[in-house]
Amino acid sequence: MFVRCFAGAIVGIKAVKVDVEVNVAGGGIGLFLVGLPDNAVKESEQRIRSAFENSQCRMTARKVVVNLAPADLRKEGSGFDLPIAVGILAATSQVLDTRLADTMFVGELSLDGGVKSVRGILPIAVMAKEAGINRIVVAAESAHEAAIVEGVEVIPVATLREVVEYLNGDIDIAPTHSTTFAEQEAVAAPFAEDFADVKGQGYVKRALEIAAAGGHNVLMIGAPGSGKTMLARRMPTIMPPMTLEEAVEATKIHSVAGKLSDTVGLLTTRPFRAPHHLTSQVALIGGGQSPQPGEVSLAHNGILFLDELPEFGRNVLEVLRQPLEDRSITISRAKYSVEYPSNFTLIAAMNPCPCGYYNHPTKECSCQPFAIHRYFSRISGPLLDRIDMHIEVTPVPIADINAERQEESSATIRERVVAARKVQLQRFNGTSIHANAMMNSAMLRKFCPLQADVRALLERAMERLNLSARAYDRIIKVARTIADLAGEEHISAAHIAEAINYRTLDREGWGQHK
């Protein structure tokens, strides 16, 4: 007997519909899997046999051929256990096949017949809706994730026996319903940190506000204990809230990577990733034998914080060039390639020299000029060129730390950031651009025209600081964000001057005035 049911295969952060074709016939014995399965799929035979035995189901002694179509697409993971098992049960008349035509099955089988969750449930549910499939059967623990997708009935199951009884009509399982995005935002835990906790550092707070408003990359340079990490970890508190589309896209990546907890259906706050400086290239950029998203993709629509930037391996840092420029990363293998989005805001921090006290107001630096220059040169010019703002963070005097003055809260700063982002969304309406940092050259000419005096100021600064054409564009983008925060339509000389001021830590001049 021949039966067809449906499953899903993950390719990047998207899913592809897979037809699970099962044919049971005479002329041999055993289970034969074809259709380019990987080892995890091939091993499903033993899991299925044990699950059948512990679920009061029988495995036929006749020859069973299972084809996973399209046959030229590599099938990976244990999520094919459940659809293969259902196909065999239907082909041997142990379950009715009346619901198979509009149902997709995803799940791993344990030896005792339990159904376990697998990675990538959200993109599979999205694909099921696009393919016109009305129902998806998943493990109960991942049902809330699939239920994010409206228009698809999500059936949660705990065991294979439940699946059998459900398909035969012996029991009725209520579909899982997810709360709306607005409801999940309303119950999201408040931030534990706040900019009000940071004393002083008005100049740095202003720069980070601009970065949050326009999606600009920032490098903070300062002595140990000056507050770089404290400031960076408070960046999510002033970032604008994610739209539903941004939240779904970010959740897809975390779902594929297996980073979602059982209680989180949809990410409601922007990701904040802070990998250690011993992180490898593959961990940062993504990849592996079966490519998985790296930190740059897990930070999509959020923040990637690299503390102690020069301590990262040079080769590790250099792989950031493409995602910083293209906002996506392509991982290629001999027979296929996958693309992961990586539209993140880079916040980096570093000491000014090996000892950490160059330019410190009270402590003496013990480093020689060549050592300072060599330390700073661990960050290549092309990478530094892709960072919009370079900020010097100086230690806060004790008097300011003990001052009773109330600092501005994250909520107040966030209000200004949200207002500036609304202006940008209106400006880029109808495009995939939603922040000034994402503008291309054509958009710069259209949305950032400069008056003659403003252009002359910028040209003089470019000559004096010996900056590149890329830095020229990035200064204009930062100035555009400063103007948006001020509620002004045109970029003025003051906006350009402030943007230039955030480029003064130029690598060629650093360490030359000891």
Side-chain angles (χ1 to χ4, degrees), residues 294-314:
E295 293 291 342
V296 298
S297 296
L298 293 171
H300 180 63
N301 290 331
I303 295 169
L304 178 66
F305 175 47
L306 301 183
D307 203 1
E308 305 296 345
L309 188 65
E311 302 303 327
F312 284 81
R314 187 179 181 89

Side-chain angles (χ1 to χ4, degrees), residues 223-238:
S226 57
K228 304 184 296 296
T229 302
M230 175 186 287
L231 288 158
R233 292 196 176 277
R234 281 159 176 75
M235 271 294 287
T237 67
I238 64 171

Side-chain angles (χ1 to χ4, degrees), residues 56-243:
Q56 295 81 51
C57 301
R58 68 180 186 278
M59 174 62 81
T60 179
R62 303 167 69 189
K63 180 180 178 181
V64 180
V65 178
V66 179
N67 179 43
L68 305 176
D72 60 346
L73 175 68
R74 185 170 177 80
K75 318 304 186 302
E76 299 177 340
S78 57
F80 294 95
D81 289 5
L82 183 58
I84 292 173
V86 169
I88 295 173
L89 291 171
T92 54
S93 301
Q94 297 181 67
V95 298
L96 301 176
D97 60 0
T98 52
R99 288 180 169 176
L100 299 189
D102 61 350
T103 304
M104 183 169 286
F105 300 88
V106 185
E108 176 186 334
L109 291 178
S110 61
L111 298 184
D112 64 355
V115 180
K116 297 181 178 180
S117 178
V118 295
R119 297 179 179 183
I121 291 294
L122 178 57
I124 290 175
V126 171
M127 176 272 297
K129 179 182 179 180
E130 294 172 348
I133 294 175
N134 301 324
R135 189 181 304 107
I136 181 170
V137 177
V138 300
E141 60 202 50
S142 58
H144 62 282
E145 181 183 334
I148 294 170
V149 183
E150 297 180 356
V152 177
E153 195 176 71
V154 179
I155 306 300
V157 294
T159 65
L160 179 61
R161 191 67 216 167
E162 278 188 27
V163 178
V164 171
E165 294 175 351
Y166 172 74
L167 292 176
N168 286 333
D170 297 332
I171 62 171
D172 188 28
I173 301 177
T176 297
H177 297 285
S178 178
T179 55
T180 65
F181 180 56
E183 290 172 337
Q184 291 191 47
E185 276 191 310
V187 299
F191 291 107
E193 299 163 324
D194 197 289
F195 267 101
D197 303 329
V198 183
K199 298 292 186 179
Q201 302 294 9
Y203 168 74
V204 185
K205 290 179 182 177
R206 166 67 174 173
L208 294 179
E209 178 182 338
I210 295 168
H216 303 290
N217 303 318
V218 178
L219 172 61
M220 294 185 287
I221 307 177
S226 57
K228 304 184 296 296
T229 302
M230 175 186 287
L231 288 158
R233 292 196 176 277
R234 281 159 176 75
M235 271 294 287
T237 67
I238 64 171
M239 294 288 285
M242 285 198 290
T243 63

Side-chain angles (χ1 to χ4, degrees), residues 462-483:
M462 295 295 295
E463 293 175 0
R464 180 177 179 183
L465 296 177
N466 194 27
L467 299 177
S468 67
R470 182 184 285 111
Y472 179 89
D473 287 350
R474 291 182 181 272
I475 288 173
I476 295 176
K477 292 177 185 179
V478 173
R480 177 68 270 172
T481 302
I482 295 171

